[in-house]
Amino acid sequence: MKKESRYAAFTLACLLAASAPLQAWAAPTDSPEFARSAEEWARLEDNKLEYEEIADLIHEYNVTVLNNRTSYRDYLGKDKSDITNRYRDAADELRNGIEYPDDPTDPSYATMMMAAQMNETQAQALEKQADNNVDDPQSIHLQYEMVEANLVLSTKLNLISYQQRLLTDALNLENKKILESQYQSAQVKAGVGAATQMDVLNARQAVEQLESTIISDAKETQTLKQKVCLAAGWSYDANPEFGALPVCDPALIDGIQLETDIAAAAENNYTLRINQRKYENSTDTATKETLEKTIQENRQKIASDMRLKYQTLLEARASYELAVAEQTVENQTLAATTLKYQTGAASRMEYEQGVYSLAAKNTAAENAKLSLLSAWENYQAAVAGLASAS
C-alpha cells in the first residue's frame, strides 16, 4: 500500500511526511470515498504506477494540486469584489504594521528603514492589484486546472524520458563489455609487441570515460524517477513498479485534421480562456485594451505552436520509421557476421561488435518509438488546452 487515502486531515499527513522522510506514503487525497469505486481506489493506492493512471494519481495525491484545491475553496461563493477586498485588506494589514525608525543613530536604523520601505512597496503593489484586479473564482479555477494539466503532461514526459534513459543505460553497459574486451586485447597484444603502450592507455581511457558517463547518466535516470514518484504521490525515494508505456500507432497521425485541431486548441486553451475571463471582468479601459491585444496574440501563437508540434510529430514518425529500417538492416548484417564467425571467417571481437551494433540499433528504434509517443502526448495536450499562447 503506497498511500493512506483516509487520514482525517491533510495537515496530519504533512506532519507525518516531515517526521518520516523515508516513508513511501504521500499526502492523502481529500476526495470523498464515494468519488471513486472501491476498485478504482485500490488501483490508485497500490504500489504500481500505470501510465493511464497518471492523471488520476496527480489529481488525488499531488501536493501542489491538493494545496491549490484547498486554496480554491477560499474563493468559492465570492465574486470579483471579494477578491479585490482581500487585496486591500492585505495591504492595510501590511501598512498598519510598518514602523519607521526615528533615531538615525540607532545601529539598526538602516535595516529597519529598509524593511519599512520594502513593506510599503509591497503594500502599494497589493493596492495596485486591488485597483486592477480582473480575477474571479472562475479565472482562478482555470489557473489551477492549467497547473494540474501541466503536471500531468510533464509527468508523462518524464516517465517516457525515464524509460529512454533506462534503454541508454543498458546499452552503455553492453558497450562497456566491448571496451573492456578491447582493453584486454590491447594488453595481450602489447605483451607480444603487437601494440604500443599508447594503444593500451587509449583503450583504458575509453573504459574509464564510459564508466564516468554511466555514473553521470545513472544520476539523471534516478532524478527522472524521483520526479515521477513525487508528482504521482510517492515519496522521492520510493520504488513503485512502473507499468508498460502505450505505443503510439504512426497511422494515427494520418487522421489528424490540423486546422480543426488548431480551432479546438484555441477554444480549450487555458491561457486564452483566463485572459478572456479577465477581459470580461475588467472595467478599466487601458486594461481592457491591453487584454484585447494579448488575446489576439494568444490566438496567433496558439496556431503557430500547433503547427510546430504537428511538424515535430511528423519528424518523430519519420525518425522512428528510419530507425526501424536501420534495425532491419543491422539484423541482416549480424546474421551474416554470425555465419562468418561460425565458419572462422570472422573473429570473436568482430562478432561481439556486431552484437553490440544490433543492440545499439534496437535501442535507437525503441528510443525513437518513445520519442514518437512524447511528440504525440505534446500534440494532444496542446489540443486539450496547453498549446503555448505566449
Side-chain angles (χ1 to χ4, degrees):
M1 177 77 72
K2 81 172 167 72
K3 303 180 180 74
E4 286 287 343
S5 63
R6 297 175 179 82
Y7 277 116
F10 175 76
T11 304
L12 175 60
C14 292
L15 291 173
L16 288 173
S19 62
L22 295 182
Q23 71 176 31
W25 295 338
T29 174
D30 61 355
S31 294
E33 187 173 352
F34 59 77
R36 300 180 185 273
S37 68
E39 292 76 14
E40 287 176 317
W41 282 124
R43 286 198 301 273
L44 294 182
E45 293 178 351
D46 63 18
N47 200 42
K48 185 173 184 179
L49 192 157
E50 299 284 5
Y51 189 82
E52 61 271 15
E53 292 176 350
I54 288 176
D56 290 335
L57 288 167
I58 287 176
H59 183 74
E60 301 294 355
Y61 299 104
N62 183 272
V63 173
T64 298
V65 172
L66 290 173
N67 285 339
N68 285 348
R69 197 177 304 157
T70 299
S71 176
Y72 177 66
R73 291 194 185 102
D74 294 338
Y75 293 100
L76 291 176
K78 298 179 174 63
D79 57 20
K80 176 177 174 289
S81 62
D82 292 318
I83 297 175
T84 297
N85 290 333
R86 292 179 69 173
Y87 284 128
R88 295 195 188 284
D89 290 342
D92 289 342
E93 183 177 353
L94 189 61
R95 182 167 279 115
N96 290 336
I98 295 175
E99 294 184 5
Y100 282 95
D102 54 11
D103 183 3
T105 63
D106 190 321
S108 61
Y109 178 85
T111 301
M112 293 175 65
M113 179 62 74
M114 183 180 297
Q117 291 172 341
M118 288 178 62
N119 286 340
E120 179 64 38
T121 299
Q122 187 174 354
Q124 291 173 356
L126 287 168
E127 288 174 339
K128 184 175 181 180
Q129 283 183 282
D131 292 337
N132 299 329
N133 176 49
V134 289
D135 282 321
D136 64 358
Q138 183 176 336
S139 65
I140 291 170
H141 185 259
L142 285 171
Q143 292 172 35
Y144 289 158
E145 279 190 349
M146 180 167 63
V147 170
E148 185 170 345
N150 271 309
L151 281 168
V152 172
L153 176 61
S154 65
T155 302
K156 286 181 175 180
L157 297 181
N158 281 336
L159 183 54
I160 294 170
S161 295
Y162 170 72
Q163 296 296 342
Q164 289 179 306
R165 292 289 341 153
L166 289 180
L167 290 169
T168 301
D169 291 349
L171 182 63
N172 282 338
L173 291 176
E174 291 301 315
N175 189 22
K176 183 183 175 184
K177 295 178 183 178
I178 298 293
L179 294 180
E180 287 175 336
S181 294
Q182 291 175 344
Y183 173 49
Q184 293 169 1
S185 176
Q187 287 179 309
V188 172
K189 289 180 179 179
V192 297
T196 67
Q197 285 302 313
M198 182 59 69
D199 294 329
V200 175
L201 179 61
N202 289 337
R204 179 181 175 182
Q205 286 180 335
V207 174
E208 291 174 345
Q209 288 173 356
L210 182 57
E211 286 176 340
S212 177
T213 298
I214 289 173
I215 293 172
S216 176
D217 287 356
K219 292 179 180 178
E220 294 181 13
T221 304
Q222 183 64 17
T223 297
L224 284 168
K225 181 180 180 181
Q226 290 172 348
K227 287 181 179 180
V228 172
C229 286
L230 285 171
W234 279 266
S235 63
Y236 77 96
D237 57 348
N239 191 34
E241 177 186 355
F242 289 165
L245 297 183
V247 176
C248 175
D249 183 358
L252 291 173
I253 301 172
D254 294 327
I256 289 178
Q257 300 294 324
L258 181 56
E259 294 306 316
T260 300
D261 284 347
I262 288 175
E267 182 178 355
N268 296 329
N269 188 264
Y270 287 106
T271 300
L272 179 57
R273 290 161 66 195
I274 290 167
N275 285 335
Q276 287 172 330
R277 185 63 184 173
K278 289 180 176 181
Y279 177 82
E280 293 167 3
N281 290 334
S282 177
T283 56
D284 178 72
T285 301
T287 301
K288 288 184 76 73
E289 290 177 352
T290 299
L291 284 168
E292 187 173 7
K293 181 179 179 181
T294 298
I295 288 170
Q296 292 174 348
E297 292 175 349
N298 288 160
R299 292 187 179 279
Q300 294 171 356
K301 290 179 179 178
I302 288 167
S304 176
D305 188 54
M306 285 297 299
R307 292 190 174 92
L308 178 61
K309 284 182 167 57
Y310 178 65
Q311 185 61 37
T312 300
L313 190 55
L314 294 177
E315 292 172 358
R317 181 175 64 176
S319 295
Y320 171 64
E321 291 171 346
L322 176 61
V324 170
E326 292 179 346
Q327 182 185 34
T328 300
V329 172
E330 198 62 41
N331 263 302
Q332 297 169 349
T333 301
L334 179 60
T337 302
T338 301
L339 182 59
K340 290 181 179 180
Y341 175 60
Q342 291 171 342
T343 60
S347 67
R348 180 173 183 81
M349 182 63 70
E350 289 174 324
Y351 170 71
E352 289 178 350
Q353 288 176 332
V355 171
Y356 172 75
S357 294
L358 178 58
K361 293 300 182 183
N362 289 340
T363 298
E366 286 299 311
N367 269 322
K369 181 169 67 175
L370 292 172
S371 293
L372 178 60
L373 176 61
S374 288
W376 176 260
E377 290 289 359
N378 266 313
Y379 183 85
Q380 294 302 319
V383 175
L386 293 180
S388 177
S390 58

